[in-house]
Amino acid sequence: MGEPKKLYIKTYGCQMNVYDSERMAEALGGNGYIEVGSPDEADMILLNTCHIREKAAEKVYSELGRFKGLKAEKPDLKIGVAGCVAQAEGAEIIARQPMVDLVVGPQSYHRLPEMERAAGTAKVIDTDFPEEDKFEKLKSRPKARRGPTAFLTVQEGCDKFCAFCVVPYTRGAEVSRPVDRILTEARDLVERGVREITLLGQNVNAYHGAGPDGDAWSLARLIWALDKVDGLERIRFTTSHPNDMGEDLIAAHGECRKLMPYLHLPVQSGSDRILKRMNRRHTAESYLRLIERIRAARPDILISGDFIVGFPEETEADFQATMDLIDAVHYGSAFSFKYSARPGTPAAERPMVDADEADDRLQRLQALITRQQRETQDGMVGRTVGVLFEKPGRLPGQMVGKSDYLHSVFVDAPDVSVGEMRQVRIASSAPNSLAGTLA
Ligand code: SAH
Ligand code: SF4
Ligand code: F3S
């Protein structure tokens, strides 16, 4: 074996891309690559991209522009584009940036090792939605120790076709991985030091993978099976759709000790008129009733959400309805975005809201969310919560971890090691973190 080749991966977009980047790095490990932290020393650069908003997609081209000098210095450098921009734009990427050698979509990256070998002599593009399952084709995962938290993709794709969204086109139809594969992967992760697993899917609560008994298992059933994995301390899942919150999943939030009290449940808008135009198939009222049922099962659960402002034809009254919904829910955290017209989606054909008006709404919404987020976090002071320690802090003896509610917590704890779960009494709240002492 010669010197290992160096791979630099930059990841944009959602957690699923983070998971995919890990798997792509592992796949290229078989071709002799090790991962490095900077593009300057790399033999191959791979951008794992996101197409969700125009800004995210455009970033890829500005980033590629920056690699021009590197490629000129080192003609053997291979540059690849993976992920959702790769899927959406395919060969167009090479037309715009001829220095790109390889384009691979999110459903075909198990073919990356052969593509990498071919990339030295020709341009290679693969944006198929192949019959075979990429996870079945990929080698089993390495056994090296790793950090205490991990993502695990259990479901991919989306059949919901919200009028603004590219995901059904870039990720394809909804597919669930079989239960036994997920359990095997989870046990392997735990053996390697993982204590918390976040189950991923674009519509993770629509999970319906084949169980060992031949039935289609719900996400709740999968969570209960993971609950029995020794050494696994925490289970989370994201992202959920309000229409797929099954009774058993709501109940699990009250009954499963390992399932954390945090739920990301995007609603996008509080106006029924806009929800309808978004093709969301739920109303503001049905969402509020759902939140009530979830809180009845787990009163302390922290709810987070996603919002789009300035969706085509959104009026000030529609926007106020969103603000009212936020008031009613009281979010622990939320992401909010100005609507971005995406080519090929139905909403892209419709009249846009004035850009300044949309900016103004986004600012008002974010101010409200920030207030609620701060109130929720401040409300933790005086409580004792579970913390999974992830790394040392900046101060001597200090450790940083995440609470059950996903807040960052700083603790003076020189005797605690990474990967330990401890009870912490929260003493103070800063803008983006909490501090406390071991209980
Ligand atoms: N599958 C998840 C999230 C998909 S994308 C779900 O269904 O909730 C993450 C978030 O990006 C969305 O919840 C939405 O708020 C936002 N988003 C998606 N398309 C967008 C667009 N065209 N413009 C602005 N925000 C968008
Ligand atoms: Fe996009 Fe809607 Fe599917 Fe979420 S549910 S991925 S927002 S189409
Ligand atoms: Fe972006 Fe694709 Fe995820 S568009 S949000 S990387 S599914």
Side-chain angles (χ1 to χ4, degrees), residues 335-413:
F335 301 95
S336 47
F337 313 97
K338 189 163 87 163
Y339 170 72
S340 168
R342 306 307 292 128
T345 61
E349 312 295 321
R350 302 181 198 158
M352 293 280 283
V353 167
D354 174 75
D356 291 337
E357 184 59 43
D359 281 330
D360 180 65
R361 287 178 196 165
L362 185 62
Q363 269 186 25
R364 283 184 282 157
L365 186 145
Q366 287 182 338
L368 176 58
I369 292 288
T370 304
R371 202 156 64 232
Q372 295 190 348
Q373 207 161 306
R374 193 63 212 260
E375 282 163 9
T376 307
Q377 203 194 281
D378 292 351
M380 296 287 158
V381 175
R383 290 184 54 183
T384 298
V385 297
V387 173
L388 173 61
F389 288 97
E390 295 181 5
K391 56 181 186 217
R394 265 181 299 112
L395 305 175
Q398 193 183 50
M399 293 290 288
V400 195
K402 289 271 164 56
S403 80
D404 296 345
Y405 306 90
L406 220 47
H407 290 123
S408 288
V409 184
F410 289 80
V411 183
D412 180 36

Side-chain angles (χ1 to χ4, degrees), residues 12-17 20 48-53 56 83-85 106 156 165-167 170-171 202:
Y12 303 84
C14 60
Q15 291 107 322
M16 196 166 287
N17 264 11
D20 288 341
N48 193 10
T49 62
C50 173
H51 202 244
I52 201 84
R53 285 167 290 274
C84 292
V85 176
E156 261 196 279
C165 185
V166 295
V167 171
T170 62
R171 292 276 171 167
Q202 267 91 19

Side-chain angles (χ1 to χ4, degrees), residues 52 157-168 202-203 239 241 268 280:
I52 201 84
C158 181
D159 300 333
K160 296 268 192 299
F161 292 92
C162 298
F164 49 82
C165 185
V166 295
V167 171
Q202 267 91 19
N203 269 297
T239 297
H241 191 283
Q268 315 298 355
R280 288 289 294 183

Side-chain angles (χ1 to χ4, degrees), residues 97-295:
Q97 277 292 4
M99 66 172 176
V100 171
D101 301 289
L102 175 163
V103 175
V104 61
Q107 301 309 350
S108 44
Y109 66 73
H110 53 293
R111 297 174 180 164
L112 199 48
E114 328 155 23
M115 293 177 74
E116 186 275 332
R117 281 190 287 268
T121 47
K123 304 283 182 197
V124 274
I125 302 174
D126 191 340
T127 53
D128 278 0
F129 287 107
E131 275 298 311
E132 77 265 17
D133 170 6
K134 64 176 177 251
F135 296 122
E136 290 306 295
K137 296 282 167 190
L138 288 169
K139 290 195 318 153
S140 62
R141 308 197 65 180
K143 296 291 175 202
R145 287 293 289 181
R146 48 170 300 157
T149 64
F151 293 130
L152 204 178
T153 294
V154 302
Q155 179 274 339
E156 261 196 279
C158 181
D159 300 333
K160 296 268 192 299
F161 292 92
C162 298
F164 49 82
C165 185
V166 295
V167 171
Y169 311 96
T170 62
R171 292 276 171 167
E174 230 179 83
V175 179
S176 297
R177 297 178 66 193
V179 171
D180 58 351
R181 303 297 145 78
I182 295 166
L183 292 177
T184 304
E185 198 170 324
R187 286 191 203 101
D188 282 352
L189 287 168
V190 170
E191 261 173 46
R192 294 169 59 196
V194 169
R195 296 290 164 262
E196 170 181 308
I197 291 180
T198 302
L199 305 174
L200 298 182
Q202 267 91 19
N203 269 297
V204 71
N205 56 346
Y207 177 83
H208 58 275
D213 54 2
D215 288 352
W217 282 30
S218 66
L219 183 66
R221 230 175 138 184
L222 178 66
I223 287 169
W224 280 113
L226 286 162
D227 182 64
K228 293 187 191 74
V229 174
D230 282 338
L232 180 64
E233 303 277 358
R234 283 175 159 182
I235 304 165
R236 304 181 185 275
F237 60 88
T238 198
T239 297
S240 298
H241 191 283
N243 291 3
D244 295 315
M245 258 341 265
E247 226 31 82
D248 58 349
L249 188 56
I250 295 175
H253 274 289
E255 294 160 6
C256 181
R257 188 190 57 81
K258 291 185 184 177
L259 184 58
M260 289 295 107
Y262 184 104
L263 179 64
H264 185 58
L265 198 61
V267 62
Q268 315 298 355
S269 167
S271 155
D272 288 344
R273 203 178 71 92
I274 293 299
L275 286 169
K276 196 159 185 142
R277 283 171 159 71
M278 285 178 164
N279 193 32
R280 288 289 294 183
R281 301 169 207 256
H282 59 73
T283 62
E285 185 62 22
S286 69
Y287 180 82
L288 291 172
R289 295 289 83 80
L290 175 61
I291 298 286
E292 272 174 13
R293 280 159 53 216
I294 297 163
R295 284 192 169 136

